Amino acid sequence: DVKPFTPEKTKEIVMSLQQPAVFCNMAGNWPALHWNVKYLSAVLEGKTIQFRLGLKTVALVPQFETSCSYVKATLEEFLAWSCGQPSCLSGPFSCYDYSKYWAYADYKYIARIFEDKPEIFQDVRWSDFGFPGRSGKESTLWIGSEGANTPCHFDSYGCNLVLQVQGRKRWHLFPPGDTSFLYPTRIPYEESSIFSKVNIANPDLKRFPEFRNSTAHVVTLSPGQVLLVPRHWWHYVESIDPVTVSINSWIELDADHEARVEEAITRMLVCAIKSAENPSDGDLWLNPTEVEATSHEINLQYLNKAVSAYLKCQETSVSGQARSSSNGAKQRTNTSCKRKRREAGCEQESCTLLTQECDFPTPKAEELQKIPFGPHLIQVLPQSHKTSVVGAVAVESDGGDLLHENEGEHFGKLQCKRKRLLMSNDCETAAHQMDSDCSPCTSQTALSTNDLLDCLVNPRVISLEVQLLLERMRV
């Protein structure tokens, strides 16, 4: 039960490290490590949860949640389906051949799933990472079959701690500096999630040539290990074993207040422009996790709340300590209001933005050099720019040496006549179709609403808009 790092040291690492890393031997005595699907099925006693189903076929476009199917099933039914049992022929998964589909119960708030069994929250002990009082109640659960994946995206708020419980997951991570190479988009729209147009598993280098310049950090996470995903790191996650279970928690950061202003502006623009389109166009622009397109009035209220909370934190910071920069210090928020806020019971118009004193000072360069990398804290290293093969960095379960693998995912030249899978949410297909000689079709160059939005709500543009807006408020 002796941990390699004290809670205080672990918290220091989490709050200062700006690259992904894997903690080993930090959760070995957590009761949550017994949360395999069979155990959870017994605890839930036949309670149904929603699964997202997608095709295992790898296309040139990401399989966004808008193009997936959804069923409600018990974990017992899911386990039987993933094992190929005949009983599944008449159950909720009866229309989905296991050899062709994967299933994912993703982003399930533990506080809601086990609301009648609150004692189970204590099985998750983020206090070992320096966050006393944080348990399963502030965490989410992910249960998937082989091939289940999350489209490449980055989260607007916080940093991420992920505990792997059952099976293995492969993480492809990209630094914030690679954002332009990942072709960010807000369609489908979901608060706090900025998606990539690139299918990381099968990139279309004709449409997205700049992706060649990205630098992937790849790691295979095994049971008992905890992955740190720093703020604004892109990630594509895939289950590589028949059944996987993982638990995560987002850690609030000082920068979240400004991020809320950015998200409020983005929501206003996306909802206003997309709501003005003809509904018959059939563009599934709103992610299933967003219940509805909120009105302009509500979005404006949220923007004002976000700006007020940010400015209040600035005032608190200035009165409590000298300004360290022209932008001032940002205060920590004690509520993350992550994506899918309605699933957590936090409505946008009533979400309270509370503040408290900042206890995470900006780390100095010499402090970062003291990060204790070793068998208990393993860096997720970048793969070489000189290879066209995506190399995976697997971390052994016992925290031993890194194993460098070549996973055979080739980023070489794609054939010009490669057949493209058309999806209802891909509104740019017509504008990017190629003719037989690989030159753009001159008759199909009309810009779409989504093309305009990709420029208007580009993360760099939104960041500039926030700075201009805040300057106006200060004046």
Side-chain angles (χ1 to χ4, degrees):
D1 292 345
V2 178
K3 310 293 182 182
F5 308 115
T6 64
E8 295 75 19
K9 182 62 178 178
T10 309
K11 183 176 182 179
E12 178 187 327
I13 295 171
V14 169
M15 303 311 295
S16 62
L17 190 56
Q18 299 302 310
Q19 67 178 86
V22 175
F23 287 90
C24 301
N25 309 312
M26 283 294 294
N29 64 337
W30 290 18
L33 283 183
H34 299 293
W35 285 20
N36 57 42
V37 173
K38 187 174 182 180
Y39 171 80
L40 292 174
S41 176
V43 173
L44 289 175
E45 299 175 330
K47 185 176 182 178
T48 61
I49 56 178
Q50 182 169 270
F51 286 85
R52 175 166 60 95
L53 292 107
L55 286 167
K56 290 184 177 180
T57 304
V58 181
L60 286 178
V61 293
Q63 194 165 181
F64 291 120
E65 294 171 56
T66 49
S67 61
C68 292
S69 302
Y70 295 84
V71 301
K72 287 190 175 181
T74 65
L75 286 183
E76 185 178 8
E77 290 169 329
F78 165 75
L79 197 57
W81 174 76
S82 63
C83 295
Q85 295 182 11
S87 60
C88 300
L89 298 178
S90 59
F93 293 102
S94 58
C95 297
Y96 304 95
D97 187 340
Y98 177 75
S99 65
K100 298 179 180 179
Y101 288 88
W102 48 258
Y104 209 2
D106 52 353
Y107 217 109
K108 303 305 178 188
Y109 281 89
I110 293 175
R112 292 181 65 101
I113 296 179
F114 301 106
E115 56 187 353
D116 56 340
K117 296 179 174 64
E119 65 278 0
I120 203 171
F121 300 156
Q122 304 311 312
D123 287 2
V124 183
R125 302 174 178 175
W126 296 115
S127 57
D128 286 344
F129 282 75
F131 303 98
R134 185 180 291 262
S135 64
K137 190 175 182 180
E138 296 81 25
S139 307
T140 51
L141 183 66
W142 309 71
I143 303 172
S145 65
E146 184 177 359
N149 64 81
T150 302
C152 187
H153 70 284
F154 77 80
D155 303 311
S156 301
Y157 309 137
C159 63
N160 194 2
L161 288 174
V162 187
L163 168 68
Q164 192 62 28
V165 176
Q166 180 180 3
R168 296 169 300 156
K169 278 186 174 179
R170 181 158 299 134
W171 289 70
H172 297 249
L173 302 114
F174 300 85
D178 282 3
T179 293
S180 61
F181 307 146
L182 272 296
Y183 297 84
T185 182
R186 298 311 298 262
I187 305 297
Y189 174 75
E190 174 183 270
E191 189 197 348
S192 86
S193 294
I194 294 85
F195 292 104
S196 169
K197 292 182 181 181
V198 183
N199 185 353
I200 303 303
N202 188 25
D204 186 345
L205 298 180
K206 286 291 183 181
R207 283 180 64 185
F208 311 116
E210 290 299 312
F211 181 68
R212 299 176 187 271
N213 299 321
S214 65
T215 303
H217 296 60
V218 187
V219 63
T220 299
L221 201 64
S222 299
Q225 297 174 340
V226 176
L227 173 66
L228 166 64
V229 182
R231 180 175 185 265
H232 285 185
W233 272 71
W234 292 85
H235 46 283
Y236 166 80
V237 191
E238 180 181 13
S239 298
I240 59 175
D241 281 330
V243 176
T244 62
V245 176
S246 53
I247 299 169
N248 88 293
S249 189
W250 282 274
I251 307 301
E252 300 85 2
L253 298 174
D254 304 350
D256 285 351
H257 272 299
E258 185 170 334
R260 290 188 204 295
V261 180
E262 294 176 350
E263 285 299 293
I265 294 176
T266 300
R267 175 179 282 273
M268 284 193 68
L269 291 173
V270 173
C271 288
I273 294 177
K274 294 300 292 184
S275 297
E277 278 192 322
N278 190 337
S280 63
D281 290 346
D283 181 15
L284 302 177
W285 65 273
L286 198 64
N287 219 38
T289 53
E290 296 286 334
V291 178
E292 61 183 359
T294 44
S295 68
H296 180 75
E297 290 73 19
I298 290 178
N299 292 337
L300 187 59
Q301 290 176 20
Y302 184 48
L303 173 61
N304 278 281
K305 287 182 179 180
V307 171
S308 297
Y310 174 86
L311 294 177
K312 184 177 180 180
C313 286
Q314 291 286 298
E315 294 171 2
T316 304
S317 175
V318 171
S319 62
Q321 57 183 352
R323 293 178 74 98
S324 58
S325 68
S326 59
N327 291 328
K330 301 180 182 70
Q331 294 298 310
R332 180 190 179 195
T333 179
N334 71 346
T335 177
S336 66
C337 297
K338 280 292 300 179
R339 66 177 207 160
K340 303 179 181 63
R341 63 173 70 245
R342 293 175 182 81
E343 185 174 351
C346 179
E347 293 294 336
Q348 181 168 331
E349 53 269 32
S350 62
C351 180
T352 305
L353 297 175
L354 302 177
T355 60
Q356 62 186 45
E357 288 192 45
C358 176
D359 56 353
F360 302 132
T362 303
K364 298 179 181 179
E366 56 267 23
E367 293 175 349
L368 294 178
Q369 295 176 358
K370 298 178 181 178
I371 297 295
F373 292 118
H376 304 297
L377 180 65
I378 304 175
Q379 300 180 69
V380 181
L381 299 174
Q383 62 185 32
S384 173
H385 282 290
K386 298 179 180 180
T387 178
S388 61
V389 178
V390 176
V393 182
V395 183
E396 297 296 333
S397 299
D398 60 1
D401 295 334
L402 292 180
L403 174 63
H404 297 268
E405 302 173 342
N406 285 332
E407 298 299 325
E409 299 174 52
H410 189 60
F411 281 179
K413 295 182 178 179
L414 299 180
Q415 294 182 2
C416 297
K417 296 184 180 180
R418 193 169 193 170
K419 187 176 181 180
R420 171 181 275 136
L421 177 65
L422 299 179
M423 292 188 177
S424 59
N425 65 302
D426 185 12
C427 299
E428 300 176 304
T429 301
H432 292 280
Q433 281 183 327
M434 300 292 178
D435 58 17
S436 58
D437 64 357
C438 294
S439 61
C441 299
T442 56
S443 61
Q444 297 179 342
T445 57
L447 291 172
S448 68
T449 304
N450 291 354
D451 292 324
L452 176 62
L453 275 174
D454 283 340
C455 298
L456 286 176
V457 296
N458 182 283
R460 290 180 296 172
V461 176
I462 291 294
S463 178
L464 177 59
E465 291 170 358
V466 169
Q467 299 306 319
L468 293 173
L469 183 66
L470 294 176
E471 287 178 12
R472 177 182 295 269
M473 291 299 296
R474 293 188 185 102
V475 173

